[in-house]
Amino acid sequence: MEKIIILGSTGSIGTQTLEVIEKLNNYKVLGLSAGKNIKLLKDQIRKFHPQVVCVQKEEDIKEIKAEFDIEVLYGNEGLVELSNKTNYNTLVVATSGIVSVRAVVNAIKNKKRIALANKETLVMAGDIVMELARKNSVSIVPIDSEHSAILQCMNNKNNESAKRLWITASGGPFLNSSREDMKNFSAKDALNHPRWSMGKKITVDCATLVNKGLEVIEAHHLYNFSYDDIKVVIHPQSIVHSLVEFIDGSFLAQLGLPSMHIPIQYALTYPKRLEGIKTDSFNIYNNKLEFLEPDYEKFPLLTLTIECGKTGGTAPVVLNAANEVAVNKFLNNEIGFLDIEKLITKTLEKTKIIKNPTLEEIFEVDRLIRQDLS
Ligand code: MG
């Protein structure tokens, strides 16, 4: 029996993870953590009978306790406590932001497998987390569709003959817009993603291509490839989820309809592939699949994000925090679409980068940037 704890069970990836688990035999939910959506968490407890849950606020404990006789934890310490449970196999990290980084570090020390959907873990603390995973022989299995595709093409991480990684990007809603048009784009325009349905913040990150830059940083840490050997390719149809180029000139690609169920399930069953949840199968006839070079001038944040990865240290931490604040301001109609890049560039220019930060320094830099910009 595989026993799973899900951090962020009421979000988009969390709910889809539960849909996958429902269809798999021999998978049991041991613990759940949720933020504000207590009503949905209660529905999930009724359906999946976890032994323990974690809520964000202390005052939500009584609402859970009134109905269920289970252990209820709360806050960031609660997440760490949840990751310290001994009787589970896999921690699914589906929270957004940095709240779960400490829990991930703990789970790795406890030799638990990590199924990772959270971007910040590797973007902000990739060096520390991967080093710890290597030391403890823990697998970090990605849930993100691109990194899952790479893992599937790599033939279970046997990457000695792999030469380059090609990360596909849909190009977002503004692929064919001019910089002049982009000036006037509203949050509503940016949230109109052509292929994937996702949370608001990540959808804006797809429009600026920051998301793709962050995925390059994650791929660098996950697969230990140099930045020069990780390429971005625009693929508007979102059918090929990424590719690996090998030393003999072969490319392997993973194809499928854009559905997060597939990478979520693969992360749970890896290295096996099970039938589990039925997704519509991709009709291979009469399709046109395009692969285009990104327009780096039109999307300067793609280059800037990758540059921050190359610089390393706290550069990606600064970029990530500044981006999150800027995207929130944009979603609240406080700034324009192109102001996102201005705000990030300005923040990076005036911030000193720490070369080999500790986890505490990473959290502190993140906190200071947010405090400074709000
Ligand atoms: Mg992705």
Side-chain angles (χ1 to χ4, degrees):
M1 180 70 76
E2 283 292 314
K3 292 179 185 149
I4 313 285
I5 291 180
I6 305 174
L7 305 186
S9 68
T10 54
S12 161
I13 298 292
T15 50
Q16 293 183 78
T17 302
L18 287 170
E19 285 162 18
V20 167
I21 289 177
E22 228 187 316
K23 301 282 185 231
L24 289 172
N25 297 322
N26 293 322
Y27 281 73
K28 183 177 162 34
V29 175
L30 193 106
L32 296 172
S33 94
K36 295 180 201 104
N37 198 341
I38 301 300
K39 187 181 171 295
L40 180 55
L41 178 64
K42 281 163 71 180
D43 290 343
Q44 294 177 342
I45 298 171
R46 261 174 234 123
K47 199 162 180 183
F48 293 94
H49 313 289
Q51 291 175 6
V52 50
V53 297
C54 179
V55 291
Q56 206 168 56
K57 291 197 214 111
E58 194 176 2
E59 57 260 40
D60 289 328
I61 296 178
K62 11 181 212 328
E63 202 183 327
I64 308 282
K65 284 278 190 193
E67 197 178 335
F68 306 100
D69 182 23
I70 56 172
E71 186 182 356
V72 187
L73 307 165
Y74 79 97
N76 291 351
E77 293 81 48
L79 289 180
V80 172
E81 221 177 303
L82 198 56
S83 69
N84 268 333
K85 296 282 169 199
T86 50
N87 51 345
Y88 73 102
N89 314 92
T90 301
L91 185 74
V92 176
V93 188
T95 39
S96 60
I98 62 163
V99 291
S100 53
V101 174
R102 270 184 225 278
V104 172
V105 165
N106 247 299
I108 295 173
K109 286 181 183 161
N110 294 329
K111 303 203 186 298
K112 305 299 183 188
R113 218 167 73 114
I114 310 289
L116 189 66
N118 169 281
K119 285 225 151 74
E120 287 80 358
T121 307
L122 292 179
V123 167
M124 297 173 65
D127 289 331
I128 294 172
V129 167
M130 291 312 292
E131 173 63 25
L132 205 58
R134 270 188 285 274
K135 256 198 209 151
N136 288 283
S137 312
V138 163
S139 331
I140 298 191
V141 191
I143 284 181
D144 208 348
S145 61
E146 293 79 1
H147 305 94
S148 175
I150 290 168
L151 181 63
Q152 294 178 56
C153 295
M154 287 276 209
N155 197 12
N156 299 333
K157 282 198 174 173
N158 175 16
N159 60 10
E160 276 149 43
S161 56
K163 185 175 147 193
R164 259 194 288 261
L165 308 180
W166 291 84
I167 299 186
T168 51
S170 70
F174 307 148
L175 178 62
N176 298 313
S177 312
S178 68
R179 291 278 297 177
E180 201 45 44
D181 292 337
M182 282 171 162
K183 256 189 212 160
N184 304 314
F185 284 141
S186 67
K188 199 170 152 258
D189 297 318
L191 292 178
N192 192 16
H193 194 279
R195 300 284 165 193
W196 295 87
S197 127
M198 299 170 293
K200 278 185 186 174
K201 195 252 170 193
I202 187 168
T203 306
V204 177
D205 286 348
C206 287
T208 58
L209 295 195
V210 162
N211 183 53
K212 217 36 66 177
L214 297 178
E215 288 180 352
V216 168
I217 298 177
E218 287 182 277
H220 162 79
H221 289 297
L222 275 170
Y223 300 110
N224 205 12
F225 270 64
S226 81
Y227 282 99
D228 291 338
D229 293 326
I230 306 172
K231 304 285 177 196
V232 173
V233 53
I234 303 291
H235 169 51
Q237 292 79 20
S238 296
I239 292 295
V240 173
H241 300 308
S242 278
L243 312 91
V244 177
E245 181 184 352
F246 291 87
I247 45 176
D248 62 355
S250 285
F251 281 69
L252 292 186
Q254 187 254 344
L255 284 76
L257 290 178
S259 153
M260 285 312 292
H261 285 136
I262 298 172
I264 290 169
Q265 181 168 295
Y266 190 71
L268 293 180
T269 65
Y270 170 83
K272 278 184 271 180
R273 200 184 280 281
L274 300 181
E275 191 173 7
I277 201 160
K278 301 271 188 305
T279 40
D280 294 336
S281 89
F282 163 58
N283 179 4
I284 201 152
Y285 293 126
N286 302 319
N287 273 290
K288 205 164 120 193
L289 301 181
E290 296 167 290
F291 300 95
L292 314 162
E293 197 176 350
D295 185 338
Y296 292 98
E297 266 167 44
K298 206 163 87 179
F299 298 102
L301 278 176
L302 175 59
T303 313
L304 189 66
T305 307
I306 297 171
E307 282 304 319
C308 283
K310 284 185 191 168
T311 304
T314 49
V317 182
V318 175
L319 172 120
N320 179 68
N323 178 55
E324 217 172 296
V325 175
V327 169
N328 271 328
K329 284 180 191 272
F330 170 68
L331 286 171
N332 293 330
N333 299 312
E334 289 166 41
I335 61 172
F337 184 72
L338 292 184
D339 295 328
I340 298 175
E341 61 192 50
K342 279 188 207 146
L343 199 142
I344 296 173
T345 309
K346 227 171 64 194
T347 309
L348 277 165
E349 274 166 9
K350 65 174 191 193
T351 311
K352 204 172 149 259
I353 302 303
I354 305 171
K355 253 191 165 176
N356 290 302
T358 61
L359 212 47
E360 294 315 313
E361 285 172 321
I362 289 172
F363 292 138
E364 185 57 8
V365 168
D366 178 75
R367 195 185 64 76
L368 286 173
I369 297 290
R370 284 166 204 271
Q371 181 184 301
D372 219 43
L373 293 177
S374 57

